[in-house]
């Protein structure tokens, strides 16, 4: 199976601190790769390095056959690398539709065409009925869906999800898992940073575990969560 994304020997430094140390990953086309680890493990830093938000000290990032290691985020997005962010920051003075329209303009400078793209993204995430409401009116679950709609409006082939399910109640979590599975069925590849093990086990084909910037384990989800090194990293040995 072709790789949608390959990161090889990624190292990220902040001054003298090594935040990510020589980590590699491989995301097959249409697959889901989970990235887990305790707080401060380097997950979001690795995520940001792959998507262009922090510089890579060593290593390479390939999106399909293209070396994107030193491309700025907007160029990676234009190629088809879409992402959400850990903290929802909608444009509160704009409507839900206008928020997504900002992202849709990446694909078309024509207002009507961009609106069609934005409305299609809102339809996908179940927010079409909220299109003309202020974004500030949305609850947490809908804000997460708005984040997804913005990412989908860029028409990604690879979608990067940074803790998209944090704080969701069980019904909303179940709905999100079902929705993300429908995205992979449509051919979108997903790299997800997540703390919720139910989501990781349900969705991921393969899981990487980081601790203190190092890759300590990888494999099938159920094997990884039973690995003593992973249990130790999360819970300690006491």
């Amino acid at each position: 199976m072709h790789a949608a994304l390959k990161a090889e020997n990624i190292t990220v430094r902040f001054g003298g601190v090594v935040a990510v140390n020589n980590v590699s990953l491989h995301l097959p086309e249409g697959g889901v790769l989970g990235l887990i680890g305790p707080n401060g493990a380097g997950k979001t830093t690795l995520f940001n390095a792959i998507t262009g938000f922090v510089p890579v000290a060593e290593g390479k990032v390939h999106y399909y056959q293209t070396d994107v290691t030193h491309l700025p985020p907007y160029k990676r997005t234009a190629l088809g690398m879409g992402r959400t962010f850990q903290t929802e920051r909608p444009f509160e003075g704009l409507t839900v539709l206008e928020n997504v329209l900002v992202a849709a303009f990446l694909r078309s400078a024509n207002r009507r065409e961009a609106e069609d793209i934005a409305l299609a993204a809102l339809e996908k995430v179940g927010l079409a009925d909220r299109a003309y409401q202020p974004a500030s009116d949305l609850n947490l679950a809908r804000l997460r869906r708005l984040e997804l709609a913005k990412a989908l409006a860029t028409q990604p082939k690879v979608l990067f999800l940074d803790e998209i399910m944090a704080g969701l109640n069980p019904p909303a979590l179940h709905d999100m898992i079902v929705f993300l599975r429908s995205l992979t069925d449509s051919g979108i590849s997903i790299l997800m940073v997540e703390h919720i093990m139910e989501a990781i086990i349900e969705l991921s084909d393969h899981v990487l575990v980081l601790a203190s910037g190092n890759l300590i384990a990888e494999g099938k989800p159920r094997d990884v969560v039973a690995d003593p090194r992973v249990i130790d990293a999360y819970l300690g040995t006491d």
Side-chain angles (χ1 to χ4, degrees):
M1 192 176 289
H2 295 298
L5 182 79
K6 261 200 314 189
E8 298 170 316
N9 310 116
I10 299 298
T11 296
V12 179
R13 297 189 184 95
F14 298 117
V17 176
V18 179
V20 175
N21 183 33
N22 197 36
V23 175
S24 298
L25 59 83
H26 177 278
L27 174 61
E29 204 168 20
V32 180
L33 182 61
L35 186 57
I36 66 172
N39 289 331
K43 304 182 299 297
T44 295
T45 301
L46 176 60
F47 210 71
N48 286 338
I50 292 170
T51 52
F53 287 85
V54 299
V56 172
E58 295 167 25
K60 293 284 184 186
V61 180
H62 282 89
Y63 168 76
Y64 287 91
Q65 304 304 314
T66 303
D67 184 344
V68 298
T69 310
H70 301 295
L71 288 184
Y74 75 92
K75 288 192 175 177
R76 299 188 205 207
T77 304
L79 285 171
M81 297 171 66
R83 72 165 290 180
T84 65
F85 292 85
Q86 207 174 91
T87 305
E88 307 77 30
R89 289 180 181 167
F91 300 107
E92 293 188 349
L94 302 181
T95 66
V96 170
L97 175 60
E98 287 166 340
N99 267 266
V100 183
L101 194 56
V102 172
F105 277 128
L106 178 75
R107 291 298 168 211
S108 178
N110 179 282
R111 170 82 186 212
R112 180 163 292 183
E113 288 177 2
E115 277 197 8
D116 287 345
I117 292 167
L119 284 167
L122 288 172
E123 186 72 45
K124 271 187 181 175
V125 304
L127 283 180
D129 61 333
R130 307 272 174 172
Y132 300 101
Q133 284 185 224
S136 55
D137 286 356
L138 299 182
N139 63 18
L140 177 64
R142 292 192 180 107
L143 281 172
R144 291 283 159 78
R145 287 181 174 265
L146 176 58
E147 277 292 301
L148 263 175
K150 288 191 284 187
L152 291 173
T154 68
Q155 299 178 337
K157 292 181 182 176
V158 177
L159 186 57
F160 297 81
L161 304 177
D162 195 356
E163 295 193 30
I164 194 72
M165 287 171 264
L168 297 183
N169 62 31
L173 176 64
H174 174 264
D175 289 346
M176 184 66 80
I177 289 170
V178 170
F179 175 68
L180 295 180
R181 198 177 285 126
S182 76
L183 293 183
T184 61
D185 289 344
S186 73
I188 294 175
S189 313
I190 294 176
L191 174 60
M192 59 189 290
V193 171
E194 193 53 68
H195 276 296
I196 299 174
M197 288 302 169
E198 178 187 348
I200 286 290
I201 291 169
E202 288 267 341
L203 286 167
S204 302
D205 304 308
H206 194 81
V207 176
L208 304 182
V209 188
L210 291 186
S212 302
N214 294 288
L215 181 65
I216 62 165
E218 66 175 298
K220 296 291 182 188
R222 291 186 189 279
D223 295 336
V224 163
V225 297
D227 188 313
R229 293 169 297 178
V230 178
I231 294 168
D232 181 33
Y234 271 101
L235 302 177
T237 53
D238 189 358

